[in-house]
Amino acid sequence: MTATLSPRRTGRLAWAACRALLVLTVVCGLLYPLAVTGIAQAAFPDRADGTPVRADGRDVGSALVGQRWSGREWFHGRPSHSDYDPRATGSGQLGASDPRLVRTVRENRQAVADYNGVPTAAVPPDAVTGSGSAIDPDISPEYARIQTSRVARANHLTKGAVRELVDAHTEGRDLGFLGEPRVNVLKLNVAVRKAAAAAR
């Protein structure tokens, strides 16, 4: 025998479902996001806002997102197959043995060496390969160091002064053992600009 629901009972069930939907919508869609946002703003205001970097009283970018730098006066970041577009993150999907990748890496290594006036053997891997996200904001200290002379000359600074800026902006491994030492390109370039302005 098949049980049938009366219109009255069906109405009660529908109303109960609507109440549950309304309560869950308010709790999960409004109260929870507001609570999490409030806690994040109170505990980590800088990170909650996207870790903005300020220069001359305005935001010039995020410390979490790489950007394109052109000109000899700036430190350059890693290559990006998406042109640093945060809406198109991801790797180039070429395998390590793919002839196209091998050719691109070889060409990039020579270009970086020529641009910075260093031997090709001094060019580190991150100078010629993109990151998995294509918007990595950091470079290795080795890549920063081979750019030091070029940046110093272009900004009329001493090589030692620029090297000190690189050392000051070099971050160690997270918790002492996670990841690799790194230099945030945006923060470093902001510091270079300040030093160049002060030297004028």
Side-chain angles (χ1 to χ4, degrees):
M1 181 189 298
T2 303
T4 58
L5 294 176
S6 67
R8 185 174 180 182
R9 187 172 181 198
T10 301
R12 285 200 308 267
L13 290 174
W15 175 234
C18 288
R19 287 197 311 256
L21 176 63
L22 181 62
V23 169
L24 288 173
T25 299
V26 171
V27 171
C28 298
L30 185 63
L31 298 180
Y32 176 74
L34 286 175
V36 170
T37 301
I39 292 170
Q41 287 289 350
F44 313 102
D46 187 55
R47 290 182 178 270
D49 289 334
T51 317
V53 175
R54 295 182 65 81
D56 300 326
R58 63 187 180 90
D59 292 342
V60 294
S62 168
L64 304 176
V65 179
Q67 54 187 272
R68 173 174 292 283
W69 295 93
S70 59
R72 304 188 71 81
E73 70 272 25
W74 305 115
F75 284 90
H76 295 182
R78 298 182 69 168
S80 170
H81 78 278
S82 70
D83 199 28
Y84 302 96
D85 185 351
R87 298 166 299 178
T89 59
S91 68
Q93 303 300 320
L94 295 179
S97 61
D98 190 301
R100 292 170 295 175
L101 180 62
V102 173
R103 182 173 59 253
T104 299
V105 167
R106 187 179 297 118
E107 291 171 354
N108 287 350
R109 177 174 285 121
Q110 189 62 56
V112 169
D114 293 343
Y115 194 70
N116 291 287
V118 298
T120 55
V123 177
D126 63 305
V128 295
T129 57
S131 66
S133 68
I135 57 171
D136 190 346
D138 304 320
I139 57 175
S140 66
E142 292 76 22
Y143 187 22
R145 288 188 193 108
I146 70 167
Q147 301 182 68
T148 299
S149 295
R150 167 179 57 79
V151 171
R153 284 194 303 271
N155 287 286
H156 307 290
L157 296 169
T158 66
K159 186 176 178 181
V162 176
R163 188 178 293 127
E164 286 180 7
L165 291 176
V166 170
D167 292 341
H169 287 83
T170 298
E171 300 176 41
R173 302 173 193 268
D174 293 332
L175 302 177
F177 66 95
L178 294 174
E180 295 293 331
R182 60 200 179 278
V183 181
N184 187 277
V185 179
L186 176 57
K187 291 180 180 179
L188 178 58
N189 281 333
V190 168
V192 168
R193 182 181 178 187
K194 287 181 180 177
R200 290 192 187 107

